[in-house]
Amino acid sequence: MDQSERIAIDVQEVSRSFGKKEALHRIGLQVRRHEIFGLLGPSGSGKTTLIKLMAGIDEANEGVVTLLGRRLPHLSMMGRIGYMAQSDALYAELSAKENLVFFGKLFGLQGNRLNTRIQQTMTLVGLTEDMNKPVTSYSGGMKRRLSLAIALLHEPEVLILDEPTVGIDPVLRQSIWNELHALSRQGTTLIVTTHVMDEADKCHRLGMIRDGRLIAVGSPEALKQKTDSSTIEQAFLYYGGVSK
């Protein structure tokens, strides 16, 4: 496998502005196949804008984003990507199962395959007993878990998750992270945004973002070693120009 085949996502000198506000400034990074790549930064740093470009649902003002060898945005790539947004895109008047059936059919799943995947993903997120309840009765955390199940439903090659564990209890959060690592071992490429430092430590590599700029890239251990830090939080403050 040559270098290009080892790269799942290639972001080349990407900038994105909204009116006069520059949300991203000349971002350049590569996400390797089968790794969990974390984007770490505070709210408003540009993480969500960047993953929307990676998912092909937004377009950069400058620069190029390539996913699995195809320049984005491109409609043909939608079936190869799983995307979980920060805000839950669910049909509240439907039950959880009806939501899963609807989105599953959009992804081309049907029959026994669709039913099997619904059971598997709802077991993972701990919602099997609540599958037939209307989404209007779900708590915020339950809606996040259902959104994750939908993103996983069609077994995408690239899974992009924006703050996936917000509002989820610590025990289930650990279970979800165990599953993300299992998916990585099975060949899925994952991009996860977070501002939670202990979750950043669970990623294979991190991109640290501040004020729309990429300030560091590397494994959690490498970033800590380079900055003589004992925690990711200390390393982030170092790269952000704040003394430890």
Side-chain angles (χ1 to χ4, degrees):
M1 184 181 292
D2 64 27
Q3 175 67 11
S4 63
E5 292 176 321
R6 288 195 291 267
I7 301 302
I9 302 177
D10 191 6
V11 178
Q12 302 175 25
E13 297 296 306
V14 161
S15 296
R16 180 71 170 100
S17 297
F18 299 94
K20 294 182 179 179
K21 179 175 173 54
E22 186 178 51
L24 297 173
H25 179 76
R26 298 180 68 83
I27 300 287
L29 61 84
Q30 293 181 325
V31 178
R32 301 166 186 158
R33 288 181 186 259
H34 312 165
E35 78 174 332
I36 302 176
F37 189 92
L39 289 169
L40 176 66
S43 297
S45 61
K47 303 187 304 295
T48 295
T49 300
L50 180 55
I51 65 164
K52 284 182 177 179
L53 299 179
M54 290 178 169
I57 59 178
D58 192 13
E59 192 167 4
N61 299 109
E62 299 177 13
V64 175
V65 179
T66 304
L67 184 141
L68 302 174
R70 171 79 72 172
R71 181 169 175 168
L72 296 179
H74 200 283
L75 190 60
S76 68
M77 301 305 292
M78 293 300 99
R80 302 174 74 180
I81 300 169
Y83 177 66
M84 177 183 175
Q86 208 172 84
S87 57
D88 300 301
L90 303 169
Y91 290 99
E93 69 277 10
L94 300 180
S95 69
K97 185 173 183 180
E98 287 169 334
N99 270 274
L100 287 158
V101 169
F102 173 78
F103 286 106
K105 287 183 176 179
L106 284 183
F107 294 134
L109 301 178
Q110 55 188 338
N112 289 337
R113 182 60 185 152
L114 176 57
N115 291 330
T116 298
R117 288 301 297 155
I118 287 173
Q119 289 294 330
Q120 289 173 338
T121 56
M122 290 297 268
T123 298
L124 166 65
V125 299
L127 288 175
T128 52
E129 294 182 2
D130 303 289
M131 193 181 301
N132 293 311
K133 293 179 180 178
V135 173
T136 50
S137 70
Y138 272 29
S139 67
M142 291 169 75
K143 290 177 182 176
R144 293 303 287 157
R145 289 148 62 187
L146 178 57
S147 292
L148 178 58
I150 289 169
L152 290 167
L153 199 57
H154 61 301
E155 299 180 282
E157 294 171 68
V158 176
L159 184 59
I160 300 175
L161 308 174
D162 196 0
E163 305 276 5
T165 59
V166 169
I168 294 177
D169 71 78
V171 174
L172 186 59
R173 188 158 65 99
Q174 181 60 52
S175 173
I176 288 171
W177 270 96
N178 289 342
E179 179 64 19
L180 296 185
H181 278 276
L183 288 168
S184 171
R185 289 192 295 271
Q186 293 162 17
T188 305
T189 302
L190 298 103
I191 300 95
V192 182
T193 75
T194 185
H195 59 262
V196 181
M197 298 298 166
D198 73 310
E199 290 196 350
D201 257 321
K202 300 178 190 296
C203 300
H204 298 136
R205 288 194 305 140
L206 289 172
M208 294 182 171
I209 298 182
R210 183 176 175 136
D211 297 327
R213 297 170 185 266
L214 189 67
I215 57 176
V217 177
S219 70
E221 282 308 309
L223 293 170
K224 286 185 280 190
Q225 289 176 7
K226 288 178 182 177
T227 58
D228 193 25
S229 301
S230 58
T231 66
I232 283 294
E233 184 174 14
Q234 288 177 340
F236 183 82
L237 292 173
Y238 177 95
Y239 282 114
V242 181
S243 58
K244 293 190 293 179

